[in-house]
Amino acid sequence: QVQLVESGGGLVQAGGSLNLSCAASGSTFGRNVMGWYRQAPGNQRELVAGISSDGQRNYADSVNGRFTISRDNAKNTVTLQMYSLKPDDTAVYYCYMDIYARRYWGQGTQVTVSS
């Protein structure tokens, strides 16, 4: 089992920045991918960014160039730095980990970008 605890998020004006962090605990030893999805009201959950334990990154087109994902394997944490935020970035952001053919989710954290 893996537990994911998110922190960060909140309310920010358009053009501003926010950081999200996620700490994993439990059975986290082994190759894995961590990252973030988001879900806005009425929309499906969508991938924002992911990073593998060997450092390979991928981003949604909508955030590429504005968001940066990083991880600390020693601490089992992943961070999402969000810049130039837009109202369309408003959503609940969920941390995830893919490991041993299973996906685990955090509880979600709200990000609201005001215009």
Side-chain angles (χ1 to χ4, degrees):
Q1 291 292 322
V2 173
Q3 297 78 43
L4 301 172
V5 178
E6 299 137 337
S7 60
L11 174 64
V12 65
Q13 288 188 332
S17 302
L18 277 176
N19 291 339
L20 303 180
S21 294
C22 175
S25 61
S27 302
T28 60
F29 180 78
R31 292 175 59 88
N32 62 77
V33 177
M34 294 185 72
W36 299 87
Y37 275 70
R38 68 185 181 187
Q39 187 168 20
N43 291 356
Q44 291 186 333
R45 195 172 293 192
E46 62 176 4
L47 176 67
V48 177
I51 182 169
S52 66
S53 47
D54 61 0
Q56 295 185 42
R57 296 171 171 83
N58 65 293
Y59 297 95
D61 289 343
S62 59
V63 307
N64 200 16
R66 299 189 298 120
F67 292 9
T68 300
I69 191 167
S70 60
R71 65 185 290 165
D72 184 330
N73 288 333
K75 297 181 179 178
N76 286 325
T77 59
V78 63
T79 299
L80 186 68
Q81 297 172 293
M82 305 184 291
Y83 304 100
S84 302
L85 283 161
K86 306 174 182 179
D88 284 349
D89 294 318
T90 295
V92 178
Y93 284 69
Y94 296 91
C95 176
Y96 78 95
M97 174 182 275
D98 289 340
I99 188 169
Y100 305 129
R102 290 191 61 178
R103 173 163 291 179
Y104 297 89
W105 295 99
Q107 78 282 5
T109 185
Q110 178 70 44
V111 172
T112 302
V113 184
S114 63
S115 57

